[in-house]
Amino acid sequence: MNMKSKTEFFQLPVETPAGRFVAGYSERGLASLTFPDATLRPESMTQRIPAVPQQVEAWHRTTSQALARALAGKPVEELPPLDLSSGTDFQQRVWNVLRKISCGETRSYTEVAREIGRPEAVRAVGGACGANPIPLFVPCHRVLAANQKLGGFSGGLNWKRMLLGREGITISE
DNA sequence: GTCACCTTAGAAG
DNA sequence: CTTCTAAGGTGAC
């Protein structure tokens, strides 16, 4: 019954000074990025990766460079195509707004809610941020609570603090 | 169905 | 100032 019993998906590690991230690629591009330590099953690392398509390898090189810059708090110059198709319509709208926040800038949950035309869905925006499959490149860490307060971060508040700090953003908390 | 979540303006005490 | 309330989207159980 499965038209496509197995959609190709590749998980490749990215070594950084901050640890080993894992990037996941669908046939459409980068689909996920996980922080070091987050659910790292040894199998997923050891799993034989029969043949990584050249396309994916090329994306991965771009990802690695971009990640290095992002961690350093510098603007990312080039990104691989991002596959955000796993999200709902609402989430994708939120994520698209986040992608327009450049390095060193921030938004509040309220502002993001307004930008997607759902000013009352403030908390839902928080939910969408938490569901973001590609942190750093979809910069959910640049969304702060009202009055420049830190707000939350599912990947761990330490990361949020660190990333904002490297981008020269000061939190009022 | 119920609950927990990266929220926040406003009203009450 | 502190505490409480109400309003949303979504996945887990």
Side-chain angles (χ1 to χ4, degrees):
Chain A
M1 275 322 228
N2 294 341
M3 323 266 291
K4 252 186 179 175
S5 58
K6 177 182 178 186
T7 303
E8 305 275 13
F9 196 82
F10 302 90
Q11 298 206 320
L12 302 177
V14 189
E15 306 297 341
T16 78
R20 169 187 279 168
F21 285 68
V22 178
Y25 299 89
S26 71
E27 53 200 346
R28 306 176 61 182
L30 179 64
S32 69
L33 185 63
T34 61
F35 286 103
D37 225 7
T39 326
L40 275 192
R41 315 182 210 309
E43 0 143 355
S44 68
M45 291 292 80
T46 329
Q47 84 184 213
R48 64 282 180 204
I49 301 172
V52 179
Q54 263 201 335
Q55 175 64 272
V56 172
E57 282 189 354
W59 288 339
H60 195 56
R61 281 191 290 277
T62 307
T63 296
S64 302
Q65 280 201 322
L67 186 53
R69 293 186 63 86
L71 287 173
K74 298 188 204 164
V76 170
E77 296 176 319
E78 189 189 357
L79 280 178
L82 302 186
D83 180 4
L84 297 175
S85 61
S86 67
T88 63
D89 204 59
F90 178 87
Q91 291 169 333
Q92 292 192 38
R93 252 182 291 176
V94 172
W95 297 338
N96 280 328
V97 168
L98 300 191
R99 293 179 62 185
K100 292 189 298 190
I101 310 175
S102 48
C103 189
E105 292 179 16
T106 63
R107 294 281 190 288
S108 67
Y109 294 99
T110 302
E111 287 172 325
V112 175
R114 254 203 305 265
E115 282 190 58
I116 62 172
R118 309 294 292 281
E120 330 92 48
V122 181
R123 286 172 297 156
V125 167
C129 289
N132 169 22
I134 315 179
L136 290 169
F137 299 157
V138 176
C140 49
H141 62 280
R142 296 186 186 132
V143 184
L144 305 180
N147 197 31
Q148 297 296 109
K149 282 179 302 192
L150 190 55
F153 197 65
S154 60
L157 284 175
N158 286 349
W159 281 105
K160 190 169 184 177
R161 260 190 279 271
M162 186 200 84
L163 293 168
L164 291 171
R166 298 235 170 131
E167 294 182 15
I169 294 163
T170 311
I171 306 303
S172 75
E173 237 181 339

